[in-house]
Amino acid sequence: MVIDLNADLGEGFGIWRLGDDLALLDIVTSANVACGFHAGDPVTIRRTCAAAVDRGVAIGAQVSYRDLAHFGRREMEAEPEELCAEVLYQLAAVDGIARAMGGRVSYVKPHGALYNRICRDEVQAAAVIDAVADYDPSLPVLTLPGSVVHRVAAAEGVPTVSEAFADRAYTPAGTLLSRREPGAVIHDVAVVTARARQMAVEGSVTAVDGSSVPVSARSICVHGDTPDAVRLAQGVRDALLAAGVVLQAFT
């Protein structure tokens, strides 16, 4: 059992700080670095990439809608060419900074509303995949198991990696419960760690209706912007190691 542990990092903006990036970088194996469209700024991106390189943590570009006001969690309509260009812009910017710090972007993970939209929307999924293919078709894209992205990416020769979310509630269909619903984000450390172990060892997760949903994931995400994110991530890491799981970046 080999699992990657990823978290969203670099989500501060200007004088505003969100999460404890340095502490999380000591726990995770992959860092999804905000690219400036939903959060992040050049200084934050530079510092996060430098710290990830120092710790041997894989760097991913967390691309999103252009939506600073709503943290990228507002679904938006966008022309395919525009969305493709904006994803390409974000990817190129973070990869350039990562390379200057001695590393590189080694995967792409869409953020928030864009992540959820392209799981079901073939047009927007194609726009995101086109951007990755234009920049570097060898870069894998993180997405949910069974999402439209897998098929769209395969058609363009772009690899995909399935992930699961230890601190998010699931519907019986295997999708993430909308953040508008109560209980969509799970904060109890014991519950989150148990779910992570279930995902890694049993390949399943318990949905909101109590049913068991198959989850075939190479990576498990713990959000970096939630209260007690460091404690949650450390609990997940400890639980996975105790279960005999090898923690290793997928790139």
Side-chain angles (χ1 to χ4, degrees):
M1 294 181 293
V2 181
I3 290 289
D4 169 62
L5 185 58
N6 77 79
D8 303 342
L9 302 175
E11 291 183 320
F13 187 81
I15 65 171
W16 306 105
R17 295 289 175 261
L18 186 63
D20 190 340
D21 289 347
L22 296 182
L24 284 167
L25 283 167
D26 288 330
I27 299 169
V28 301
T29 51
S30 293
N32 317 315
V33 180
C35 302
F37 272 36
H38 77 277
D41 57 66
V43 172
T44 301
I45 293 170
R46 184 179 187 274
R47 288 174 177 169
T48 306
C49 288
V53 171
D54 287 345
R55 291 161 174 77
V57 174
I59 297 171
Q62 190 168 39
V63 300
S64 71
Y65 290 125
R66 187 190 292 270
D67 185 25
L68 280 173
H70 292 265
F71 199 64
R73 288 180 176 156
R74 174 176 53 181
E75 192 166 292
M76 304 177 76
E77 300 303 322
E79 291 296 321
E81 182 181 13
E82 179 183 6
L83 182 57
C84 175
E86 293 198 336
V87 169
L88 180 59
Y89 179 94
Q90 295 174 76
L91 172 54
V94 174
D95 187 42
I97 293 174
R99 289 177 184 272
M101 296 300 100
R104 63 180 291 265
V105 163
S106 56
Y107 67 95
V108 177
K109 177 178 175 177
H111 166 80
L114 180 61
Y115 183 99
N116 292 321
R117 177 70 174 264
I118 68 173
C119 282
R120 69 178 193 278
D121 185 324
E122 187 166 343
V123 173
Q124 289 204 8
V128 172
I129 295 301
D130 284 346
V132 178
D134 285 346
Y135 189 77
D136 183 350
S138 71
L139 292 178
V141 177
L142 267 180
T143 186
L144 285 179
S147 74
V148 167
V149 182
H150 293 287
R151 174 168 49 81
V152 173
E156 292 206 40
V158 173
T160 53
V161 174
S162 292
E163 73 169 334
F165 292 80
D167 57 359
R168 289 295 309 277
Y170 278 74
T171 71
T175 59
L176 299 178
L177 184 68
S178 169
R179 284 180 176 267
R180 300 186 186 93
E181 301 294 328
V185 181
I186 304 168
H187 301 286
D188 187 295
V189 175
V191 174
V192 171
T193 55
R195 288 167 72 83
R197 186 187 184 284
Q198 180 185 357
M199 291 168 174
V201 177
E202 301 175 22
S204 65
V205 64
T206 302
V208 290
D209 66 347
S211 63
S212 180
V213 177
V215 172
S216 178
R218 174 63 176 83
S219 185
I220 293 177
C221 177
V222 177
H223 286 89
D225 64 319
T226 55
D228 290 330
V230 174
R231 194 158 64 95
L232 286 172
Q234 187 64 62
V236 168
R237 180 183 177 91
D238 293 344
L240 293 178
L241 292 174
V245 175
V246 176
L247 294 179
Q248 180 179 301
F250 58 85
T251 55

